[in-house]
Amino acid sequence: MSAHPDETVPLSLTGHCPCGQVWDNVSVQTTVSRQVHDLPELQLRVTEYRADVKVCPTCHHRQQAPFPGHVSGQVQYGPRIHGLAVYLNAAHFIPLERTSEILEALCGVRPSDGTIALNLHLAAAKLEDFETQLKAALQKQPVLHADETGSKVNGQLQWMHVVSCAQLTLYGHHPKRGFAALDAMNVLPQYQGILVHDAWSTYFKLPAQHALCGAHLLRELRGLAEHHAQGWAGELRDALRRVYHEQKQGILTATARTAFEHQFDALLEKALQVNPEAPPVPGRRGRTRQSLGRNLALRCRQHREAVLRFLHDERVPFDNNQAERDVRLWCVKRKVSGGFRSAEGGQNFARIRSYISTLGKQGLNVWYGLVSVFTGNVLMPDFSV
């Protein structure tokens, strides 16, 4: 129950006691309270600013009092309407038309799709300084996570990339999936820390130290063991799971870790033996396609240090769940409200989502943050985490 209710409604006891005593003549001994928590009636509140206009009696110069900086038009919506429109569309992926319908039902006003799109554009422009500070903060993190997923623009495939940690999130929308997108985000090409990812080849072009997602590896090993009868894959999966759980529980000894690494190397050699190199196909140019088992074994051997980095650096997690959780919201967005009408719309959305995600991770109120964007005093997260 609230300690400070906004309204108190007294309920007087009247009538008679069964013995005949009139309750109006009896003093109140105590009260019993019940509370109803509800929203106030929603209606648009109109504030009119009236600027004085004066004419100098000496030189006849006409002067008008200035309007506040946020009052730029004769009639306009205020920061809460703007913030609510962006909150519905960017935080909860409600399409533009349905956002208009909700605003009309709640507030009695129905901004057009173009107005809401303009709100998103203005919010992105006002968050430019936030994004600059966010990128600088990510550069200082000892461990980052990265992932990407498809995103449609007018039906054409583009890509949404994420670079994140536990307290910060940066999204980037780009026509390309490759290095050009990472370069445009301007974080990973200069990053010297540890980057956790899913072994996509482009990430290995970066100067970071690499750590590969163990969850991805477990899924691949399970597929090889169950669907391709690769016994070594089942053995390696069991050994990897065992050493991971022992490390998580704090009972993994140095001897056990060394024994696992020897087993890891031996099972990879076994994998290459049971998956020999496929001979070249006569008349076909380029590399010969190899089996799934051989490709996985070669990758694990080539990037052995990245696969096993979690065993030697307590800062490195076993999986890339951080980035996968952050990028999953874009899959929800595709399902709920589809793609974007323009590349600029995707970029604006990515910047706003970076702000929303970062505020949420730090326990800050996203609604207050989005309203602050339109008041000119942007609520900033803590970049020193």
Side-chain angles (χ1 to χ4, degrees), residues 211-227:
L212 297 187
C213 176
H216 275 80
L217 180 56
L218 288 177
R219 288 195 290 268
E220 290 182 275
L221 290 171
R222 179 178 180 178
L224 287 171
E226 295 182 356
H227 302 295

Side-chain angles (χ1 to χ4, degrees), residues 7-161:
E7 181 183 4
T8 301
V9 179
L11 301 175
S12 300
L13 179 61
T14 58
H16 297 79
C17 177
C19 70
Q21 174 68 47
V22 179
W23 286 123
D24 291 338
N25 300 327
V26 179
S27 61
V28 176
Q29 185 180 52
T30 186
T31 60
V32 178
S33 299
R34 296 180 181 180
Q35 292 185 346
V36 176
H37 293 231
D38 200 359
L39 290 171
E41 182 180 354
L42 297 179
Q43 61 181 16
L44 208 62
R45 183 168 180 244
V46 180
T47 301
E48 182 173 288
Y49 294 84
R50 296 179 177 178
D52 289 342
V53 178
K54 296 183 179 181
V55 177
C56 176
T58 303
C59 66
H60 305 292
H61 173 71
R62 188 175 184 271
Q63 186 70 41
Q64 174 185 302
F67 285 100
H70 65 278
V71 183
S72 57
Q74 186 175 16
V75 179
Q76 64 185 68
Y77 292 123
R80 290 184 179 84
I81 288 288
H82 292 316
L84 181 56
V86 174
Y87 181 72
L88 293 173
N89 182 262
H92 295 286
F93 312 127
I94 299 176
L96 298 178
E97 184 176 357
R98 288 174 56 197
T99 298
S100 296
E101 292 176 1
I102 292 173
L103 291 175
E104 182 178 32
L106 292 179
C107 310
V109 295
R110 189 185 179 101
S112 66
D113 289 6
T115 298
I116 299 173
L118 178 61
N119 289 341
L120 295 168
H121 179 77
L122 290 174
K126 293 175 181 294
L127 289 172
E128 184 175 357
D129 183 56
F130 155 79
E131 187 177 84
T132 300
Q133 296 186 57
L134 173 63
K135 291 179 179 180
L138 287 169
Q139 291 275 7
K140 300 175 182 177
Q141 295 297 313
V143 179
L144 290 179
H145 297 255
D147 204 355
E148 73 288 331
T149 189
S151 176
K152 294 293 185 69
V153 175
N154 285 327
Q156 300 298 314
L157 180 63
Q158 294 196 11
W159 295 89
M160 185 62 68
H161 295 257

